[in-house]
C-alpha cells in the first residue's frame, strides 16, 4: 500500500550521527503537518500534562534501515551510525527495510550523573514509510513456512498436544495474546513469555532464542498472532513443566485473522472508584498487621507525574499511583504525558499514606504498553537509583518499599549535600525502613510461578496497610509547624487555673506569662483540629552537635534545613537515668523515633480581667521557644562517629554490621591520607558516610590530660578577660569546672580520642585539682561535662606539656593566693568521655528536698522533681516583652514535701527543660529562710541546673501526699510547710464570705470601686470559707477559697453563677452559721444558712491540705464560773489551707 507524504521545503535530511552529536534538546518532527495541525497538537499535549511545555518542532528528515540490536531492541541505522528506536505497534515487516520517518520525537540522554556513553533515542509517533517496491509482505512466507502456517492449530488443540507430545514435533499455534511478561535476564540468558488464549484455554510460549527477542516489541495483549515451528519443552523449576518453546525456525505473524478468533478484547478500566475499594478487598490480620488482598485489573491512562523513574514510581491521571519496581527496569523510562495500557496489574488501596490511595503495581505477569508517546518536555526526577537493587536483594513488601521511596526523596532534600552524599541516601533510607517497620525478610521470588501459574500468586497478591506508619519531617518543617500552631492551638482562657475568673489583674497576667505545650512523637495526645503534623508518629534524622555561641547551651540536632535544641538524657554507668555525658554521640547521624516536642509560650499582657481575653489590644508581645526532649537510649545510630565506633568496639557492639569495618577504614584513611577506588566502593556499598568535612583524627600531634569533674558551675554571660580590643570586649558565655587531675600530661602522635586509658596517663602519686575556665567557643562543652565523669582533655598541634598545666594567681604586692591552678580551655581543644574510667570515683553528694528543708547549710546541691512553675516578669526594668526575668519552681521529692526555688535569668542563657514532671539536679544554690520561717532556695551566678530524667510533662503530678493525723500534725513542730492528706467529717462552718472585689486594687466593689483613687471599672468575684474538720485524733480549722468553695457547698455551676449575679448590687455577704437562728428576713442569707447547716455540715471529706509556716502561739484565757475565775492555757487549733477536695 503506497502512502504519499507532502513535505515542506524547509525540511532537510539529517544523518543519525549528526542527530546524536548536534541535537542536545528534546524535539519533535512532524514533517507532513501544517502549522495549524502542529499548534493543535501542542495545545493538546500541554493540556494533558499541565505545567509542561510541548516539545519544540524541528524540520529534519530521518531515513534509515530498521534493524534488531542487542537484547531485541530496534535500531534505525544508516551509513553514519545507529540510534535506538522505540515504536508503539511495530510490525515484523518493517525490519531490514529502508524506511522514512515522517513523525518522530528525539529524546537526548543528558540527565546529570548518568552514564554519558548511553545516547538518546527516537520515538516513532506514527508508522514509518517503507521504501521498497516489492509485494506486500504482511503474511508472506517461504514455501516451507507457508505449509506450517496452513497447519496452524488453535489454543484448544495446542493444550492437548502439550500433554501428548511427540519427540521432534513442531507445531504452529494461533490465538489472542492474553498476557506478555517482561523480558528477563537470568544467569546470562535473556528470555520472555507470553500467553495465547481463546475462549476457555491458554498456552504459555517461552521465547528464549536470542534472535527472537525483538518479538517482545511486537506482541501485546489483545493482538491476534500466529507462531510457527514451536516445540513442547519441559521447563525446570516450574511445577507445570510443559511449555511451548520458540525454535530457530519459528516465525511471528501478527494481525492473524481466523473465524475461530472471535474472543472479545480484554476489559480495560480508565478510572478507579475509591469509594468501593475497601469493601471489595478482603482483610485479614497476620502477626498484628492488617493484611489486604490485591485485585487484578487492566487499566488505561496518561502519565501525569514522574515521581522517580529510577525507583519506578509514577502518577497516572493525577490520582492513581503506579509502581513498576517489581519488574525489570524499563529500557525506555516513562515520561510525563505518555499514554499507557496496563494488563494483569495489581490494584492496591492505601498501601502507603504518602502516596495516592489508589495504587497500581506491576509484577512479572503484568504487561505495560505505551500507546502514545508524550509530547512535552519533562524535568529530570529525583534520583533513587539504589532502591530497586535493594528491593531485588531484600524482596520486601510493596508498602515498605513505597514508604522507603518517599523517605528517600525527603532525605535527599534535608541531608544532601551538607550531611550526606546522594549515593548514600538510598542505603540510609533502607536502614531506616528496616529499623522502623521491623518486618521479617521474605523468601526468594519464584519467577516462573509468578509468570506462568494460574491462579496467580506473587509478592503483590497480599500487602500490609498501616495508616499510622511513621512520618519523616525535616527539622525546619518540624520547627515551622510547632511555631505556627503555638498560639493557634490554644485559647488564653484554657491557660488559667480552676476558678480563673476570680483572679485579680496581676494574678491573671502572671498566670498567662508562661505556658507550655508538649506533644509526643506518636501524636497520641488527644484530638486536635488544624494540626499540620497529622496523626502519624513522627521520625527525625539528623546529626548530633554541640551548641553554638548563639544557641541554647544544649545538644542540637541538625540537618541541612536547620537545627533544633534538645534536652537529652542517657543511662548512667550506674544504670539509672542521668544527664548526657558521652561525647562519642557528637557527630553521629541518628534517627530519633521517640521524643517529646516542647513549645514554651511567653506572653506579656495587661488584661484587666478574664472577660477581655479575646481582645488582642491588651497583649504587648508574645513569642515562643521550641525544642525536643528525648533519651539517647531511644536513638538509632545510622552513621557512627569515629569516637562512637571506638566506644562500641570497647563494649563489643557493632552498628549495622559495619562498625568495626568503618573504624578500620577510617584509620587507614587517616594514615594514608586518601582512599583507593576499591576501598571507596566498598565503603559506599556497605555503610552510610557523613560528609561533615575532614576526619577529625588526622596525623596531628597533641597532648592530653585525664581529669575527673568534681563540680560544674552554671553558664552565664560574663565579662571577658582584660587586654582585648574594643570589638572583642563585652559579655561572653562562660563557665568553670573544678576537676581532679588523674595523671600527668601525655604526648601523642595523633589524637587518642576516647580510646582506652594507658598506664602512663595515670602514673601519679597524688591527685591535684585544677579549675578549667571555658568561655567563648570552648563553652560549647557545657552540656557534656557532668560531675563524677572522666574525660580526656586534648590540645592539638603541640607537643608542649606546659599548655595543659594550670597557673596560679598572684595577688598584689607579691601576696600569693591559695587557690587551685586555673587552666583556660581554648576553643580548638577537645574533651573525650572515658566510659571505662581508670579509677573508681565517689559519687557527688546530692541531697533530697527533705534533706534541704532540714539542713543548716547555706550552699546546697539537691535533686528534685518539678511539680509547678511560675514565670516572674520584671515590669520595672524595661526588659523586652516576652523575656523571662525569673522563674519560680516548686519542686518535691518522693515524700511529698515541697520546696520553692527562685531562678534569676537576667544574666544567664534561658535554661530548657524546666517543665513539670522532669527531674532536675540543682547545684550551687543558696538555701534561705523567709521572714515567715519558710525555707526556699535561690540561684547564684555559679548555680547550675541539669535535667537528669524526663517525665510525662503533659500530665505531671507530684507524688501523693502522705496521710496525716490532725492530732499528731498539730503537735509536730518539724513538719511545717508540707502537704498532707486528711480524712474526716465536717464539725461546723465558722464563716462564709462572698464578695466582689476590684480587679486592680482588690478593694470591695459595689457599683464602682470603693477606693476613690482607683480608676478601674472591672471587678472579680472572690469566695472564702472556713470550717472545722475532725478526724478522731484532733480538730483543725481549714480554709477554702476560689473554685473549692462551690464544690464544698455542693452547688451546681448554674446556681453558683446565679448567686454571683444576686450579689452584684450589695457587693458582699458574710455568713456565720454557728449559733445563729435560721429565721431571717434576707432570702439570700437564709439560703446560704440552709446550705451551710444542711448535709454539707456533717458529711465526710478527703482533703489535701498545706500547713502554713506560722501557727498561732498558745494563749492564756480567763474563764468565770460563778464567783470563781479560772486561768488556763489554750492550744490554738491547727490552721490548714485546702488544696484539693474529694467527697467520701
Amino acid at each position: 500500500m503506497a502512502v504519499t507524504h507532502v513535505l515542506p521545503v524547509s525540511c532537510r535530511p539529517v544523518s543519525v550521527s549528526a542527530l546524536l552529536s548536534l541535537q542536545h534538546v528534546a524535539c519533535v518532527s512532524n514533517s507532513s503537518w501544517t502549522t495549524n495541525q502542529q499548534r493543535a497538537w501542542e495545545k493538546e499535549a500541554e493540556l494533558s500534562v499541565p505545567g509542561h511545555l510541548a516539545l519544540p518542532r524541528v524540520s529534519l528528515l530521518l531515513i534509515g534501515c530498521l534493524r534488531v540490536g542487542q537484547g531485541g531492541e530496534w535500531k534505525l541505522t544508516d551509513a553514519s551510525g545507529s540510534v535506538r528506536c522505540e515504536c508503539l505497534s511495530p510490525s515484523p515487516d518493517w525490519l531490514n527495510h529502508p524506511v522514512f520517518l515522517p513523525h518522530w520525537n528525539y529524546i537526548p540522554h543528558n540527565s546529570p550523573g548518568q552514564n554519558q556513553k548511553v545516547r538518546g533515542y527516537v520515538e516513532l509517533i506514527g508508522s514509518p514509510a517503507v521504501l521498497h517496491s516489492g509485494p506486500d509482505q504482511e503474511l508472506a512466507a517461504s514455501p516451507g513456512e507457508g505449509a506450517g502456517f496452513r497447519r496452524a492449530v488453535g489454543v484448544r488443540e495446542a493444550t492437548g498436544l502439550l500433554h501428548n507430545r511427540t519427540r521432534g514435533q513442531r507445531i504452529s499455534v494461533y490465538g489472542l495474546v492474553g498476557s506478555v511478561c517482561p523480558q528477563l535476564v537470568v544467569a546470562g540468558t535473556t528470555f520472555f513469555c507470553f500467553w495465547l488464549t481463546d475462549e476457555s484455554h491458554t498456552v504459555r510460549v517461552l521465547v528464549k532464542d536470542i534472535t527472537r527477542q525483538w518479538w517482545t516489541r511486537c506482541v501485546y495483549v489483545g493482538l491476534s498472532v500466529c507462531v510457527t515451528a514451536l516445540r513442547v519443552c519441559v521447563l525446570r523449576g516450574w511445577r507445570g513443566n510443559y511449555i511451548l518453546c520458540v525454535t530457530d525456525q519459528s516465525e511471528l505473524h501478527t494481525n492473524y485473522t481466523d473465524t475461530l478468533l472471535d474472543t472479545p478484547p480484554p476489559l480495560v478500566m480508565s478510572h478507579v472508584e475509591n469509594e468501593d475499594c475497601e469493601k471489595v478487598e478482603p482483610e485479614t490480620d497476620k502477626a498484628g498487621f492488617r493484611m489486604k488482598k490485591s485485585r487484578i485489573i487492566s487499566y488505561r491512562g496518561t502519565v501525569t507525574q514522574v515521581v522517580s523513574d529510577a525507583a519506578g514510581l509514577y502518577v497516572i491521571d493525577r490520582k492513581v499511583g503506579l509502581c513498576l519496581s517489581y519488574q525489570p527496569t524499563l529500557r525506555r523510562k516513562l515520561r510525563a504525558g505518555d499514554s499507557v495500557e496496563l494488563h494483569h496489574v495489581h490494584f492496591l488501596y492505601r498501601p502507603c499514606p504518602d502516596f495516592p490511595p489508589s495504587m497500581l503495581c506491576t509484577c512479572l505477569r503484568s504487561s505495560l504498553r505505551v500507546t502514545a508517546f508524550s509530547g512535552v518536555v519533562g524535568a529530570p526526577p529525583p534520583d533513587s537509583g539504589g532502591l530497586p537493587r535493594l528491593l531485588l536483594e531484600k524482596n520486601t513488601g510493596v508498602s515498605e518499599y513505597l514508604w522507603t521511596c518517599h523517605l528517600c526523596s525527603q532525605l535527599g532534600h534535608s541531608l544532601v549535600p551538607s550531611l550526606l552524599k546522594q549515593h548514600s541516601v538510598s542505603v540510609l533510607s533502607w536502614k531506616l525502613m528496616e529499623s522502623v517497620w521491623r518486618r521479617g525478610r521474605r523468601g526468594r521470588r519464584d519467577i516462573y510461578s509468578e509468570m506462568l501459574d494460574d491462579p496467580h500468586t506473587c509478592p503483590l497478591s497480599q500487602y500490609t496497610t498501616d495508616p499510622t506508619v511513621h512520618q519523616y519531617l525535616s527539622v525546619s518543617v518540624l520547627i515551622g509547624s510547632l511555631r505556627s500552631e503555638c498560639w493557634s492551638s490554644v485559647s488564653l482562657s484554657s491557660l488559667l487555673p480552676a476558678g480563673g475568673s476570680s483572679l485579680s489583674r496581676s494574678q491573671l497576667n502572671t498566670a498567662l506569662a508562661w505556658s507550655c505545650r508538649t506533644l509526643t512523637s506518636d501524636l497520641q495526645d488527644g484530638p486536635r483540629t488544624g494540626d499540620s503534623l497529622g496523626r502519624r508518629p513522627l521520625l527525625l534524622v539528623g546529626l548530633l552537635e554541640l551548641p553554638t555561641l548563639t544557641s541554647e547551651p544544649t545538644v542540637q540536632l541538625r540537618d541541612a534545613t536547620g537545627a533544633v535544641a534538645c534536652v537529652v538524657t542517657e543511662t548512667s554507668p550506674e544504670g539509672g537515668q542521668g544527664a548526657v555525658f558521652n561525647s562519642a554521640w557528637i557527630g553521629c547521624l541518628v534517627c530519633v523515633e521517640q521524643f517529646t516536642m516542647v513549645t514554651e509560650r511567653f506572653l506579656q499582657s495587661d488584661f484587666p480581667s478574664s472577660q477581655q481575653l479575646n481582645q488582642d489590644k491588651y497583649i504587648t508581645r508574645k513569642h515562643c521557644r521550641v525544642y525536643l526532649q528525648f533519651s539517647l537510649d531511644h536513638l538509632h545510630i545510622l552513621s557512627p562517629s569515629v569516637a562512637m565506633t571506638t566506644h562500641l568496639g570497647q563494649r563489643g557492639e557493632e552498628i549495622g554490621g559495619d562498625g568495626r569495618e568503618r573504624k578500620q577504614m577510617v584509620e587507614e584513611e587517616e594514615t594514608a591520607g586518601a582512599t583507593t577506588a576499591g576501598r571507596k566502593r566498598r565503603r559506599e556499598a556497605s555503610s552510610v558516610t557523613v560528609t561533615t568535612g575532614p576526619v577529625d583524627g588526622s596525623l596531628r600531634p597533641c597532648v592530653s590530660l585525664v581529669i575527673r569533674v568534681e563540680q560544674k558551675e552554671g553558664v552565664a554571660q560574663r565579662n571577658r578577660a582584660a587586654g582585648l580590643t574594643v570589638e572583642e570586649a563585652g559579655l561572653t558565655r562562660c563557665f568553670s569546672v573544678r576537676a581532679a587531675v588523674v595523671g600527668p600530661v601525655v604526648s601523642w602522635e595523633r589524637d587518642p580520642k576516647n580510646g582506652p586509658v594507658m598506664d602512663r596517663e595515670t602514673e601519679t602519686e597524688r591527685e591535684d585539682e585544677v579549675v578549667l575556665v571555658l568561655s567563648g567557643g570552648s563553652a560549647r562543652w557545657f552540656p557534656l561535662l557532668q560531675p563524677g565523669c572522666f574525660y580526656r582533655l586534648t590540645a592539638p598541634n603541640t607537643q608542649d606539656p606546659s599548655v595543659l598545666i594550670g597557673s596560679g594567681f598572684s595577688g598584689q604586692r607579691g601576696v600569693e593566693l591559695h587557690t587551685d591552678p586555673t587552666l583556660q580551655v581554648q576553643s580548638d581543644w577537645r574533651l573525650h568521655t572515658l566510659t571505662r574510667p581508670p579509677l573508681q570515683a565517689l559519687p557527688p553528694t546530692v541531697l533530697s528536698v527533705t534533706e534541704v528543708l532540714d539542713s543548716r547549710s547555706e550552699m546546697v546541691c539537691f535533686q528534685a522533681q518539678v511539680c509547678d512553675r511560675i514565670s516572674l516578669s520584671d515590669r520595672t526594668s524595661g526588659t523586652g516583652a516576652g523575656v523571662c526575668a525569673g522563674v519560680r519552681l516548686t519542686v518535691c521529692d518522693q515524700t511529698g514535701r515541697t520546696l520553692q526555688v527562685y531562678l534569676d535569668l537576667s544574666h544567664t542563657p534561658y535554661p530548657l527543660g524546666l517543665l513539670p514532671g522532669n527531674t532536675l539536679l540543682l547545684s550551687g544554690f543558696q538555701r534561705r529562710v523567709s521572714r515567715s520561717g519558710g525555707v526556699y532556695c535561690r540561684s547564684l551566678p555559679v548555680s547550675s541546673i541539669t535535667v537528669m530524667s524526663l517525665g510525662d510533662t503533659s500530665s505531671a503530678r507530684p507524688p501523693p501526699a502522705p496521710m496525716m493525723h490532725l492530732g499528731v500534725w498539730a503537735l509536730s513542730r518539724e513538719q511545717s510547710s508540707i502537704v498532707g492528706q486528711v480524712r474526716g467529717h465536717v464539725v461546723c462552718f465558722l464563716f462564709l464570705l462572698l464578695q466582689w472585689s476590684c480587679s486592680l486594687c482588690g478593694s470591695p466593689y459595689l457599683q464602682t470601686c470603693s477606693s476613690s483613687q482607683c480608676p478601674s471599672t472591672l471587678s472579680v468575684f472572690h469566695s472564702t470559707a472556713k470550717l472545722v474538720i475532725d478526724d478522731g485524733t484532733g480538730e483543725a480549722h481549714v480554709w477554702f477559697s476560689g473554685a473549692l468553695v462551690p464544690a464544698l457547698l455542693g452547688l451546681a455551676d448554674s446556681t453558683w453563677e446565679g448567686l454571683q449575679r444576686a450579689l452584684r448590687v450589695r457587693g458582699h455577704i458574710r455568713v456565720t452559721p454557728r449559733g445563729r437562728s435560721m429565721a431571717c428576713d434576707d432570702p439570700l442569707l437564709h439560703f446560704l444558712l440552709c446550705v451551710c447547716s444542711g448535709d454539707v455540715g456533717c458529711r465526710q471529706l478527703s482533703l489535701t491540705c498545706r500547713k502554713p509556716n506560722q501557727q498561732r502561739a498558745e494563749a492564756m484565757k480567763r474563764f468565770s464560773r460563778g464567783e470563781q475565775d479560772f486561768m488556763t492555757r489554750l492550744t490554738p487549733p491547727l490552721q490548714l489551707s485546702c488544696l484539693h477536695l474529694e467527697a467520701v
Side-chain angles (χ1 to χ4, degrees), residues 1050-1068:
L1051 299 179
D1053 293 341
S1054 58
T1055 306
W1056 185 250
E1057 293 175 359
L1059 190 61
Q1060 296 180 35
R1061 290 193 299 269
L1063 283 174
R1064 272 291 186 183
V1065 178
R1066 60 195 301 174
H1068 73 282

Side-chain angles (χ1 to χ4, degrees), residues 164-339:
N164 301 283
R165 63 180 184 137
T166 303
R167 192 175 189 87
Q169 182 184 18
R170 299 293 185 268
I171 61 175
S172 300
V173 183
Y174 61 85
L176 286 177
V177 178
S179 178
V180 181
C181 300
Q183 194 177 49
L184 299 179
V185 180
V186 178
T189 301
T190 305
F191 66 95
F192 77 99
C193 301
F194 63 93
W195 292 37
L196 293 179
T197 66
D198 61 8
E199 294 180 350
S200 58
H201 294 79
T202 60
V203 292
R204 289 84 165 168
V205 180
L206 175 64
V207 183
K208 194 175 179 181
D209 194 321
I210 191 63
T211 62
R212 301 295 189 273
Q213 293 302 311
W214 56 271
W215 288 11
T216 187
R217 306 292 192 275
C218 298
V219 294
Y220 53 86
V221 176
L223 179 67
S224 60
V225 299
C226 180
V227 187
T228 63
L230 295 173
R231 65 187 179 93
V232 180
C233 301
V234 176
L235 183 60
R236 297 177 182 177
W238 178 49
R239 64 177 64 93
N241 290 332
Y242 297 111
I243 191 172
L244 294 177
C245 188
V246 170
T247 64
D248 54 358
Q249 290 87 26
S250 300
E251 294 294 336
L252 173 69
H253 301 273
T254 59
N255 296 323
Y256 180 79
T257 57
D258 190 275
T259 57
L260 299 176
L261 289 178
D262 56 357
T263 305
L267 179 64
V268 180
M269 301 174 62
S270 60
H271 67 282
V272 177
E273 297 293 343
N274 293 336
E275 289 78 3
D276 301 329
C277 291
E278 294 206 275
K279 298 180 181 178
V280 176
E281 293 181 326
E283 301 176 3
T284 58
D285 290 332
K286 181 179 179 181
F289 301 110
R290 188 181 179 189
M291 302 294 297
K292 302 180 75 173
K293 291 183 178 181
S294 60
R295 296 164 51 195
I296 304 298
I297 65 171
S298 297
Y299 190 87
R300 182 187 294 119
T302 301
V303 178
T304 53
Q305 180 185 355
V306 180
V307 180
S308 173
D309 60 359
L313 297 176
Y314 308 87
V315 176
I316 306 177
D317 300 335
R318 302 184 182 90
K319 60 181 180 179
V320 180
L322 175 61
C323 176
L324 306 178
S325 303
Y326 286 81
Q327 281 190 349
T329 305
L330 296 176
R331 191 185 304 271
R332 174 197 176 272
K333 305 292 185 181
L334 294 181
R335 299 191 295 116
D338 285 344
S339 296

Side-chain angles (χ1 to χ4, degrees), residues 126-176:
S127 300
V130 182
L131 304 177
H132 67 87
S133 58
D136 190 1
Q137 298 184 358
E138 179 75 17
L139 294 176
S142 61
E145 295 168 350
F149 185 73
R150 288 190 296 270
R151 293 194 301 268
V153 297
V155 176
R156 181 192 299 270
E157 291 80 1
T159 305
L161 294 175
L162 282 176
H163 302 284
N164 301 283
R165 63 180 184 137
T166 303
R167 192 175 189 87
Q169 182 184 18
R170 299 293 185 268
I171 61 175
S172 300
V173 183
Y174 61 85
L176 286 177

Side-chain angles (χ1 to χ4, degrees), residues 822-891:
T822 302
L823 182 62
Q824 181 73 39
V825 178
Q826 304 301 318
S827 59
D828 60 338
W829 292 7
R830 296 188 63 84
L831 284 157
H832 301 284
T833 307
L834 301 176
T835 55
R836 291 193 172 183
L839 301 173
Q840 190 69 27
L842 294 176
T845 303
V846 179
L847 305 178
S848 64
V849 171
T850 301
E851 292 172 334
V852 173
L853 292 173
D854 299 336
S855 175
R856 294 294 182 265
S857 301
E858 184 178 0
M859 300 295 293
V860 291
C861 172
F862 60 99
Q863 184 170 315
Q865 178 183 341
V866 181
C867 55
D868 190 19
R869 164 182 171 148
I870 294 179
S871 181
L872 305 177
S873 299
D874 188 0
R875 298 180 177 269
T876 62
S877 61
T879 58
V883 177
C884 183
V887 172
R888 190 191 74 185
L889 299 178
T890 302
V891 298

Side-chain angles (χ1 to χ4, degrees), residues 670-683:
E670 296 174 355
T671 304
T675 61
T676 63
R679 188 184 302 128
K680 182 178 180 181
R681 287 193 299 269
R682 182 171 69 252
R683 183 179 70 250

Side-chain angles (χ1 to χ4, degrees), residues 669-932:
E669 291 177 12
E670 296 174 355
T671 304
T675 61
T676 63
R679 188 184 302 128
K680 182 178 180 181
R681 287 193 299 269
R682 182 171 69 252
R683 183 179 70 250
E684 293 175 354
S686 62
S687 62
V688 179
T689 305
V690 179
T691 59
T692 55
V695 180
D696 188 41
S698 57
L699 289 176
R700 295 186 300 174
C702 64
V703 291
S704 70
L705 183 68
V706 177
I707 60 173
R708 182 182 67 249
V709 174
E710 302 291 341
Q711 183 182 354
K712 180 179 72 170
E713 294 184 355
V715 62
Q717 299 288 343
R718 296 186 176 93
N719 287 322
R720 301 189 66 175
L724 299 178
T725 63
V726 177
E727 293 78 6
E728 295 175 337
L731 297 177
T732 184
R733 194 170 292 182
C734 178
F735 74 100
S736 62
V737 171
R738 182 178 300 276
V741 179
V742 176
V745 179
V746 179
S747 301
W748 303 84
E749 294 294 333
R750 53 186 292 176
D751 191 351
K753 298 186 180 297
N754 58 335
V757 179
M758 302 298 179
D759 293 337
R760 57 176 179 155
E761 294 183 89
T762 59
E763 295 176 353
T764 181
E765 297 180 357
R766 64 184 183 89
E767 290 186 357
D768 296 327
E769 289 194 351
V770 64
V771 176
L772 304 180
V773 180
L774 300 94
S775 61
S778 62
R780 68 185 187 276
W781 297 102
F782 177 79
L784 294 181
L785 294 176
Q786 308 299 341
C789 297
F790 288 81
Y791 300 88
R792 179 183 280 127
L793 175 64
T794 60
N797 301 323
T798 182
Q799 291 282 306
D800 184 11
S802 63
V803 299
L804 292 181
I805 299 177
S807 60
F809 287 98
S810 298
Q812 296 180 355
R813 300 178 183 179
V815 178
E816 184 176 353
L817 301 178
H818 295 280
T819 59
D820 295 322
T822 302
L823 182 62
Q824 181 73 39
V825 178
Q826 304 301 318
S827 59
D828 60 338
W829 292 7
R830 296 188 63 84
L831 284 157
H832 301 284
T833 307
L834 301 176
T835 55
R836 291 193 172 183
L839 301 173
Q840 190 69 27
L842 294 176
T845 303
V846 179
L847 305 178
S848 64
V849 171
T850 301
E851 292 172 334
V852 173
L853 292 173
D854 299 336
S855 175
R856 294 294 182 265
S857 301
E858 184 178 0
M859 300 295 293
V860 291
C861 172
F862 60 99
Q863 184 170 315
Q865 178 183 341
V866 181
C867 55
D868 190 19
R869 164 182 171 148
I870 294 179
S871 181
L872 305 177
S873 299
D874 188 0
R875 298 180 177 269
T876 62
S877 61
T879 58
V883 177
C884 183
V887 172
R888 190 191 74 185
L889 299 178
T890 302
V891 298
C892 63
D893 57 11
Q894 297 299 322
T895 64
R897 303 187 66 178
T898 59
L899 174 69
Q900 292 186 344
V901 181
Y902 293 85
L903 307 180
D904 182 9
L905 305 180
S906 57
H907 297 291
T908 61
Y910 183 80
L912 304 181
L914 307 184
L915 306 180
N918 287 352
T919 300
L920 308 179
L921 175 65
L922 301 103
S923 304
F925 276 72
Q926 186 180 20
R927 179 184 180 275
R928 301 290 296 272
V929 179
S930 64
R931 286 177 291 181
S932 61

Side-chain angles (χ1 to χ4, degrees), residues 554-582:
T554 60
V555 177
Q556 289 186 326
L557 183 72
R558 181 178 67 87
D559 62 8
T561 65
V564 60
C566 305
V567 177
V568 185
T569 63
E570 67 174 308
T571 302
S572 62
E574 292 77 19
Q577 280 292 312
V580 56
F581 64 92
N582 194 351

